[in-house]
Amino acid sequence: MGEPAFGVLGPLRVKADGAAVRVGGAKPRAVLATLLLQPNGFVSVDLLTEVLWPGGAPRSAVANVRTHVRTLRQLLPPAAVAGLRTEPGGYALDVAPGELDALLFERRLAQARAARDRGEDSGALRGYEAALGLWRGGVLQDVRSSVVWDPAVARIEELRSLAADECLEVRLRLGDYAHLVSGLRSRLTESPLREDLWRMLVHALRDAGRVAEARSAYAEAERVIAAELGVEPSAPLRAIGAEVNGYAGRRRSATPVPVCQLPMDIPDFTGRAVEVADLEALLSTAGRHPVVAAVSGAPGAGKSTLAVHVAHRVRTAFPDGQLFADLAGTSECPREPAEVLAELLRGLGVIDSAIPGEPGERAAMFRSRLAQRRCLIVLDDAVGAAQVSPLLPGTGGSAVLVTSRRRMPGLPAHACPLGLMRHDDARALFGAIVGAERLIREGADADRVLAECGSLPLAVRIAAARLVNRPGWSVSTLADSLRDERGRLGAVRSGELEVRAGAELSYRHLPEPAALAFRSFGDLPDDAVPGWLVAVATGSGGQAGEEAAGGLETLLDEHLVEVVGRDDLGLNRYRMHDLLRSYARELALTDHQETRMRRRLAVIEALTALARTANAAMPTRFLGVLGDPGGQGGRPPAAVAALVRQRPVDWFESEHRNLVAAVDAAVRLGRADLAAALAIELAGFFDMRGYYGDWLRTHRLVLDAMPSHEGAGAAALLRNLGQLHLYQDRYEDALASFDRSRALFAELGHRTGEAVAAVGAGSVHRVVGELDTALEMFTVALRHFAATGDPHGEAVARNAIASVWLEREDPEAAAGWLRGALELSLVVGDRHREAQVRRRVAVLHELRGEPQAARGELEHALGIFDELADLHCAAYVQQSIAELCLRQGESGEASALLVGALAVQQQLGDRRAEARVAGLLGELHDATGRTQTARHYFHRSLATWRRLDVPDEAGLMDAKLRALR
């Protein structure tokens, strides 16, 4: 095939029989360019006028346009003139795909992608090269641009960019490293902040055996990103950087798995083939820009079921994860966007303490996290556009699937209205439940049932289940019963009528255990719940794994509840549709008030008892005052308690939202004592996982609800708040909380509590440099721990005392305290405490001039923290190892360690550690001659020290910056 007759992928070009045709005159060229950007499409005279005279057209504009078109007819070859058509109000230029380079480019690109999808990489590479070979420069680069062209030009240039990226990926798979590296460097010249391109370049150089160049490329990527954005490279880029620098694999670390929060798909999903296909096609278009689809429809139309089903079908197209959030738009209290953003950010790996407080900042962080990812976000049950808008990505290849009862015209989304189920689909669904033979035998009556159900999937499922569970009923009986029920419910608003009719019909025939379980859902949290919690609410005391507990098996048979998956303990989680839950709340109100109170309190007490059981089995011991695991309170099923003892952290994660909701519920019931007991039990888990927002909110909520701050509960809550304030560098608040807690415990004669609070107060004094006061506090704590026979507390206090002597650079004074702390940690079997002590032993070896011994202790501690999945403490140890490496001249390993530690400290919100690590990175880059990057890190460290009001450290960073200048 010869060259195309028309070219816009570069300078404007026209050819006839292989020879160039000169088209002169700026305005005729602009007219031709506009027609070629909309090939085979109508171009109005008004549009051409706007292109030719953007500042305002003369009166003769229409006549002038005709003149310019006549000029084109005279200049263009005969074949092209034949395609230039005059239409009412405008013109069109007909061209075949092979006659215009832009159309030919798109055809070749489609062929290359088809070959790639078939796994024919060699053919795909040839196709991509042929497509990209048509480009001679920027689109219409020698024609004066027009804003009218912007959408068309942006689309074709974006296709070029995507094609170039896809071609590079094919080259990487084929191992065509020479061309790949040159192509990547060219792309990076255009887009120097594309981390995916940097990652591919380092990967290609490494696999080609050019390791030194790979290291240099990673260093350049780190420098450019730091200088331009002021941030660290992302985790995937840091990971390959660590590999080429020789550090990866030297410590055991879990490979991060993309999050998948999707509820379980319905195995017998029926119908909606058109809607499924349309949504799949739409979501598949997510690429350089995100795609949003909004599914709206009547209550019970199957919006959530459809969204989850489609999400499962397309999940492989979104390898960076799938997020799910229930927006509770139809509940009494729809969720605030800020709360949902925090949940989504946690799903993306942001630790709670690093999540900003302001909603706008949370939304910005969310968009930033998604900018280089391909994630699928399902937002279920939205109340409106205002709730959803802050939850949308701004750039990147992610897609969002929203469901709502309302249309949301204000949302930048593709509207996907979900109407009634097609009759054939509704019949298929009904037949799948009641049996195909029965559907054929009683087809006419089945149609009556479907009419009474309004072809709403939820109503059809409930009605069909009603029939299956009543063998003596005919389909005709069911249809008559539904008609009578609909007549009785005439006041119910449209859309809910059919579902309520089936639900009431089912409820009136439920056996009492199942009816009680149905009503109990009206008093349970809105989140999915485990079966044992339903059993506790009903007083039936079911065991783990018993589906029949509390009548749940009957509710499942009647399609009144659904299983949405299994939790981390392997137990089923149950959810009730919002329409049915509203009905359950109405029914719950008919129960005696005392019965409802007893039911709610039983749930709170059972959760508290299991939280105590979990805390007793946690791999780390929280330095706080907790309740007695065998004390008074709820009695959860023994089998569940056994599972919790085996996997305490997993249980806390599974019940996280329900536990926080239970604290709120206890406060609303006027039982601040129960709320306090549960909040205290949650603090250790919040500490381990960095859920600082929930920690702060629950503790403040309970303290505000208490009539006075006098008892042990208030003292424990204040101590916990002091610890949180200390983590977040609020030293005055921390000391005030610790001191008040210590005074309360002293008044109560609670020596363990007094000792724990004293350790906290001493830690604040040590951090701010008041070493004499810190030593006094730690000594008081040790005396109290010893008096109460608490060896774990003694280990904590001895380690703390040693820290003061190490701050004073007196290793011999610290040695005895550390020896005692390590022995006690080993005796009580507290590995976390053992690792903390070993960190301090490493400092002792350093002060003695024994770097290898120090390195051994740090590696030992790091292994323990890795096994316990304690990211925070592991980051501190990484920092310590990096400092050792710096002093021994091992800059490559030091860089990888420090960059990883800085990212974790930034996530955790530990600004003091962040400032220290940033300063170390500045020193490293200064020593290796990378002045610009060193300046960036010194500035970052200086700003943080100034915010913390630490003038000595700030002065040190300022001096380093002056030395650079």
Side-chain angles (χ1 to χ4, degrees), residues 1 3-7 36 79 94-104:
M1 178 185 292
E3 289 186 286
F6 296 101
L36 290 173
D94 295 331
V95 292
E99 294 177 335
L100 175 62
D101 58 1
L103 293 178
L104 183 58

Side-chain angles (χ1 to χ4, degrees), residues 453-687:
C453 291
S455 290
L456 288 172
L458 179 60
V460 173
R461 282 185 176 277
I462 293 172
R466 176 99 301 274
L467 188 61
V468 169
N469 291 313
R470 291 294 178 272
W473 282 22
S474 66
V475 180
S476 176
T477 304
L478 175 62
D480 292 340
S481 300
L482 285 170
R483 182 191 60 207
D484 295 342
E485 202 62 53
R486 278 171 55 91
R488 193 177 70 79
L489 291 170
V492 180
R493 74 169 183 257
S494 174
E496 298 185 9
L497 179 61
E498 295 83 359
V499 176
R500 288 288 297 273
E504 292 213 9
L505 183 62
S506 296
Y507 178 77
R508 283 192 281 118
H509 291 86
L510 289 176
E512 180 50 31
L516 177 57
F518 187 89
R519 296 195 304 275
S520 296
F521 268 90
D523 286 327
L524 287 170
D526 287 342
D527 204 35
V529 296
W532 66 264
L533 198 59
V534 181
V536 167
T538 60
S540 56
Q543 299 296 311
E546 291 187 4
E547 300 290 347
L552 273 176
E553 186 176 85
T554 305
L555 297 184
L556 283 170
D557 290 343
E558 298 280 352
H559 282 286
L560 297 176
V561 297
E562 61 178 339
V563 177
V564 295
R566 290 181 176 269
D567 59 25
D568 292 334
L569 272 65
L571 303 178
N572 282 345
R573 309 289 293 189
Y574 299 87
R575 183 175 62 192
M576 182 175 280
H577 191 279
D578 57 276
L579 288 180
L580 300 177
R581 190 181 291 276
S582 296
Y583 181 40
R585 288 195 183 101
E586 294 176 18
L587 293 173
L589 291 172
T590 65
D591 287 338
H592 193 278
Q593 186 174 358
E594 183 178 340
T595 300
R596 290 193 70 200
M597 176 65 80
R598 186 166 58 248
R599 185 158 62 213
R600 293 176 174 182
L601 292 179
V603 168
I604 297 168
E605 289 172 350
L607 287 170
T608 304
L610 279 179
R612 287 174 177 160
T613 300
N615 275 321
M618 288 285 271
T620 62
R621 177 169 169 179
F622 179 59
L623 187 62
V625 177
L626 302 174
D628 179 6
Q632 294 183 346
R635 290 290 181 268
V640 176
L643 287 174
V644 171
R645 278 190 287 271
Q646 293 171 16
R647 304 177 67 179
V649 180
D650 289 339
W651 179 79
F652 271 125
E653 284 287 6
S654 296
E655 301 299 342
H656 179 184
R657 286 182 60 178
N658 287 334
L659 288 163
V660 172
V663 175
D664 291 343
V667 170
R668 287 197 304 271
L669 292 173
R671 292 297 303 271
D673 56 328
L674 287 181
L678 180 53
I680 289 167
E681 298 299 330
L682 297 179
F685 167 67
F686 292 157
D687 188 7

Side-chain angles (χ1 to χ4, degrees), residues 364-446:
M365 176 180 281
F366 181 61
R367 291 191 296 270
S368 175
R369 290 274 166 168
L370 289 178
Q372 297 292 332
R373 289 178 167 91
R374 283 184 61 83
C375 291
L376 177 64
I377 303 116
V378 180
L379 304 174
D380 189 35
D381 192 18
V383 70
Q387 184 188 33
V388 175
S389 294
L391 312 178
L392 301 182
T395 57
S398 295
V400 183
L401 192 50
V402 188
T403 72
S404 176
R405 291 188 184 181
R406 303 171 179 85
R407 291 177 181 267
M408 295 179 283
L411 201 66
H414 298 271
C416 304
L418 193 63
L420 296 179
M421 211 174 191
R422 280 174 287 278
H423 185 70
D424 289 347
D425 288 346
R427 280 178 63 90
L429 176 59
F430 188 75
I433 300 172
V434 306
E437 292 182 3
R438 194 169 192 180
L439 181 63
I440 296 172
R441 189 173 62 248
E442 303 178 73
D445 289 323

